[in-house]
Amino acid sequence: MASTSVNTSAFGLKDASLIRAQGYINGQWVDAKEGGKIQVTNPATGEELGHIPEMGIVEAKEAIEAASNAFKTWSKTTAKERHDLLMKFYQLMRENDDDLGRLITLENGKPLAEGKGEQAYSASFIEWFAEEAVRTYGEVIPAAQGSLRNVVIKQPIGVVSILTPWNFPSAMITRKLGAALAAGCTAVIKPPAETPFSCLALVELATRAGIPPGVINVITTSANVAEVGKELCENPIVKKISFTGSTPVAKLLSGYAATTLKKVSIEAGGNAPFIVFDDADIDAAVAGAIACKFRGSGQTCVCANRIYVQSSIYAEFASRLAEKVAAFKVGNGLESDTTHGPLIHDRAVQKVEKHVEDALARGAQILHGGKRIAGPGTFFAPTILSDVTSDALISREETFGPLAALTKFETEEEVIKLANDTPFGLAGYFFSRDVGRVWRVAEALEVGMVGTNTGVISQAVIPFGGVKESGLGREGSHGITEYMNVKFIAFGGLLIPASLVAIFVDGACAPGGILIASAR
């Protein structure tokens, strides 16, 4: 039964039992021991979706203990067994595409097409890591001594703490959880308080797939997030932290994890440059900028934050971009004609307002938008600013909103310097049809991921992550290794008996390539 803290009929799902409004510890749906609740609202309407438990450090410790106990058996399952369970989980996710996509839209606000797109992206991580589970190969290293055999094996690291953001309520969980489960680890998840229902629906499906009790645990919290986060990082039972969020929080959690030298994967803030050279296909560059900058209403960690356009095509690019953006339909993501939804909360709107005001004060001009949209919900008009200076706030920090900031440049050397003038280095993009330039710029950008002539790079198969203050480690691709320990085993005492010595016949192998052994 779904908790009474939510009106399931208001969600409009085909399967209302996917709506869960409790935490999940050791295979049981549970409320907070102190009875606290967190209100969850639809950012497009401001209407209440339901309440989830305000859990604390007691529940966090219980979840960690449950994961530790489950690890004793889950870590002993075969890779094929984990593969099969994850594939069942994947199939259940795909069978519930419509409901899971709708949940994402309801709590995050993104248009339904994007919600369903995220759902497919989210499921792809479970499929990918199901297949990776059976490919966690070891190796044999030739030894210098004939009596030794050097063998390397990989083993699950243990209990994993997973802390995720609200901008991708489902995909940021499966990218971490899929790798952890495939490796043989157990997990405690702290989903964002703004978007918990997608996470809880995933856990419901994982349970239906046969994932045993204690393997996945979920702690929901808002007011107690600081102490819960600290516990999830400092508890000595936890052996690995995977976090996606802001750089300041990443530094804080990394410090907690350092007290016991835990393994850490971090995907932190970005400040992505998007460069358009004068030899680019302008229509393709405009399309790339729209996909990169305005997807999720600009609330993605890899979206373009600074758009640099070479001076000779600057006016044309700006005009074409403004024309496309003017055709956007901002509104409730459940409405069929909506192209862009709300921001997650009023604080996000205020940050965009602050960036616009600062840029205008430094000489920027508004080409389109520039204001909050009145009425219910937390909407800001998709905005384009021209002549943004390098000292503007938007040039120095991530906006996380539908604000495209255009800056003119003259030379390749100049724009590379501008692009790299940031402590962040998650993603970077550029458009050019010069093959030599493509290689030079791709290698010169100080980022973990580069999109050349494309504004969309995210896939399950790629190594996702950044450099500098944008993170540590990589997710997706072969990220299962982030959840495993590498163990070396030296097998000694393997001397070959003197009575069995391989010899060559006339200095060569016998006919047919057979090596002949004879007693000496």
Side-chain angles (χ1 to χ4, degrees):
M1 292 273 305
S3 169
T4 56
S5 294
V6 60
N7 177 8
T8 57
S9 63
F11 284 74
L13 304 191
K14 299 173 185 176
D15 182 359
S17 64
L18 287 176
I19 304 167
R20 292 287 185 173
Q22 295 171 291
Y24 190 71
I25 300 176
N26 201 27
Q28 300 294 317
W29 295 101
V30 294
D31 290 315
K33 293 186 182 302
E34 295 186 359
K37 295 287 183 180
I38 306 165
Q39 184 185 53
V40 183
T41 60
N42 181 337
T45 64
E47 296 173 353
E48 179 185 300
L49 290 172
H51 291 80
I52 56 171
E54 179 65 86
M55 293 177 158
I57 196 167
V58 173
E59 290 90 347
K61 288 181 177 180
E62 287 182 357
I64 292 169
E65 189 67 32
S68 179
N69 291 332
F71 178 74
K72 297 170 186 175
T73 52
W74 181 251
S75 61
K76 299 298 189 295
T77 56
T78 67
K80 180 61 165 59
E81 289 170 333
R82 297 194 296 275
H83 164 276
D84 291 349
L85 285 172
L86 284 170
M87 285 306 297
K88 288 180 182 178
F89 184 16
Y90 166 74
Q91 292 296 340
L92 286 170
M93 287 187 69
R94 296 318 309 259
E95 290 169 12
N96 290 275
D97 273 345
D98 289 345
D99 279 351
L100 296 177
R102 185 179 178 89
L103 268 181
I104 292 169
T105 292
L106 283 166
E107 60 183 0
N108 170 274
K110 62 182 63 176
L112 190 55
E114 283 193 31
K116 291 181 178 180
E118 181 185 339
Q119 152 58 13
Y121 178 49
S122 178
S124 74
F125 285 111
I126 299 301
E127 180 186 34
W128 172 260
F129 284 114
E131 295 164 344
E132 284 290 281
V134 295
R135 293 176 176 81
T136 52
Y137 306 129
E139 61 180 320
V140 177
I141 301 174
Q145 298 174 317
S147 62
L148 282 179
R149 297 294 182 271
N150 295 326
V151 176
V152 176
I153 65 172
K154 296 175 182 177
Q155 296 177 305
I157 197 167
V159 176
V160 176
S161 291
I162 294 175
L163 302 99
T164 60
W166 48 260
N167 59 333
F168 286 89
S170 181
M172 294 302 95
I173 290 172
T174 58
R175 188 160 69 188
K176 303 170 188 296
L177 182 64
L181 298 185
C185 297
T186 55
V188 179
I189 306 170
K190 190 214 74 63
E194 296 90 346
T195 59
F197 292 118
S198 293
C199 172
L200 298 171
L202 290 176
V203 174
E204 169 64 23
L205 291 178
T207 302
R208 295 181 192 179
I211 304 295
V215 173
I216 304 174
N217 305 272
V218 180
I219 299 297
T220 57
T221 185
S222 178
N224 299 323
V225 66
E227 66 177 28
V228 168
K230 191 172 188 288
E231 180 65 24
L232 292 177
C233 293
E234 285 190 341
N235 191 303
I237 294 174
V238 175
K239 303 304 179 186
K240 155 85 179 179
I241 310 296
S242 184
F243 169 76
T244 297
S246 71
T247 294
V249 175
K251 291 178 178 179
L252 182 66
L253 298 182
S254 183
Y256 293 153
T259 61
T260 49
L261 291 181
K262 299 185 196 306
K263 196 170 185 178
V264 175
S265 294
I266 291 174
E267 189 234 303
N271 188 7
F274 186 102
I275 305 167
V276 185
F277 289 100
D278 56 10
D279 64 333
D281 179 326
I282 296 180
D283 287 334
V286 168
I290 289 172
C292 184
K293 171 70 259 184
F294 292 102
R295 181 167 56 101
S297 293
Q299 299 174 114
T300 77
C301 53
V302 294
C303 76
N305 203 60
R306 299 166 291 151
I307 301 178
Y308 299 110
V309 185
Q310 203 151 17
S311 60
S312 62
I313 60 168
Y314 184 87
E316 183 179 2
F317 177 88
S319 175
R320 293 194 195 181
L321 181 63
E323 181 183 356
K324 294 291 186 181
V325 172
F328 289 173
K329 172 63 169 62
V330 179
N332 188 328
L334 294 179
E335 296 175 359
S336 60
D337 60 344
T338 293
T339 61
H340 294 79
L343 301 191
I344 190 65
H345 43 51
D346 196 61
R347 296 191 305 280
V349 175
Q350 292 172 12
K351 185 174 185 181
V352 181
E353 288 178 323
K354 180 180 178 181
H355 278 196
V356 170
E357 292 168 1
D358 174 78
L360 294 178
R362 298 174 190 273
Q365 303 293 318
I366 296 177
L367 297 185
H368 184 80
K371 294 182 179 180
R372 166 194 301 256
I373 297 176
T378 47
F379 293 94
F380 195 92
T383 298
I384 302 175
L385 299 182
S386 66
D387 304 316
V388 176
T389 58
S390 60
D391 61 347
L393 279 177
I394 191 173
S395 299
R396 315 308 303 175
E397 60 185 40
E398 194 173 31
T399 303
F400 235 61
L403 172 56
L406 307 186
T407 300
K408 189 181 301 182
F409 75 90
E410 298 295 336
T411 68
E412 181 179 317
E413 293 74 19
E414 175 195 2
V415 79
I416 291 298
K417 183 177 180 180
L418 287 169
N420 290 338
D421 185 22
T422 174
F424 306 104
L426 187 56
Y429 308 84
F430 68 93
F431 279 71
S432 171
R433 288 180 286 191
D434 181 325
V435 174
R437 172 176 279 164
V438 166
W439 277 107
R440 288 194 306 273
V441 176
E443 292 180 351
L445 289 176
E446 296 172 354
V447 296
M449 300 173 288
V450 178
T452 64
N453 295 311
T454 180
V456 180
I457 58 175
S458 297
Q459 309 157 57
V461 301
I462 69 164
F464 193 102
V467 299
K468 300 196 283 190
E469 293 190 20
S470 284
L472 300 168
R474 292 295 183 269
E475 295 184 310
S477 189
H478 302 301
I480 192 172
T481 58
E482 300 272 350
Y483 295 82
M484 306 191 85
N485 286 324
V486 174
K487 178 180 285 185
F488 164 67
I489 305 171
F491 288 91
L494 302 179
L495 288 172
I496 301 174
S499 59
L500 293 176
V501 179
I503 62 172
F504 290 96
V505 178
D506 294 329
C509 291
I514 300 173
L515 189 64
I516 305 220
S518 66
R520 175 178 292 173

